[in-house]
Amino acid sequence: MRLWKDNKNLCMLMDGMLLRMMPWGMNSLRVVMQPAGSEDERNWALTEAVPDAEPEIGIQECELKAPWEEQGQTAQCGYMENGRIRGEINPEGWICFKDCTGKVLLQEIGTVWNATLFRRIPLPENLRLYRGQRNIG
């Protein structure tokens, strides 16, 4: 995984996919993911004009370590703050959105994505499904 700042975007390249996190007006973020090398710059569904914003973008070195390892490896993690929202990308490429107080609003967990292959992932035995939920993995 590689992270970098491009103008007002926080970009991530992983497994042949390019993810861009960008400010979308005040107090909001937009995430776009497409195959690396794609020239498609259309806004798709978000076509209305929004005020220009100046986000704070940071990329830092952090440790990626499995619970059973004594010593981890150095990896990158990044964040973008736009008004009262913060988007973070951890060393495994997972995204988390937080409000200005640090409360988690939305967090990606356990996702495996690949540019050419979607794999079924075995779920833990103790996974509990609630009424109306289905296990489709």
Side-chain angles (χ1 to χ4, degrees), residues 105-126:
L105 303 172
L106 180 68
Q107 183 174 9
E108 178 181 15
I109 54 171
T111 302
V112 173
W113 52 280
N114 186 299
T116 57
L117 175 67
F118 292 95
R119 291 178 253 158
R120 298 181 95 179
I121 302 168
L123 296 173
E125 295 293 325
N126 62 353

Side-chain angles (χ1 to χ4, degrees), residues 40-100:
D40 191 357
E41 295 292 327
R42 292 178 282 185
N43 281 334
W44 293 96
L46 300 176
T47 58
E48 69 276 2
V50 294
D52 199 24
E54 289 295 327
E56 178 185 334
I57 299 174
I59 299 171
Q60 51 206 20
E61 298 293 319
C62 49
E63 186 179 40
L64 178 60
K65 180 179 147 187
W68 57 87
E69 294 177 327
E70 289 183 23
Q71 189 172 25
Q73 57 186 335
T74 302
Q76 290 182 311
C77 52
Y79 71 90
M80 174 183 280
E81 286 185 9
N82 185 32
R84 298 184 317 187
I85 191 164
R86 178 182 174 107
E88 299 177 349
I89 301 176
N90 80 2
E92 294 175 327
W94 301 350
I95 301 173
C96 178
F97 295 99
K98 297 179 179 181
D99 67 10
C100 60

Side-chain angles (χ1 to χ4, degrees), residues 121-132:
I121 302 168
L123 296 173
E125 295 293 325
N126 62 353
L127 177 70
R128 180 175 177 186
L129 297 176
Y130 296 95
R131 183 174 293 151

Side-chain angles (χ1 to χ4, degrees), residues 2-6 9-11 57-61 76-79:
R2 185 169 68 94
L3 289 171
W4 71 96
K5 179 182 175 181
D6 180 25
N9 299 330
L10 175 60
C11 300
I57 299 174
I59 299 171
Q60 51 206 20
E61 298 293 319
Q76 290 182 311
C77 52
Y79 71 90

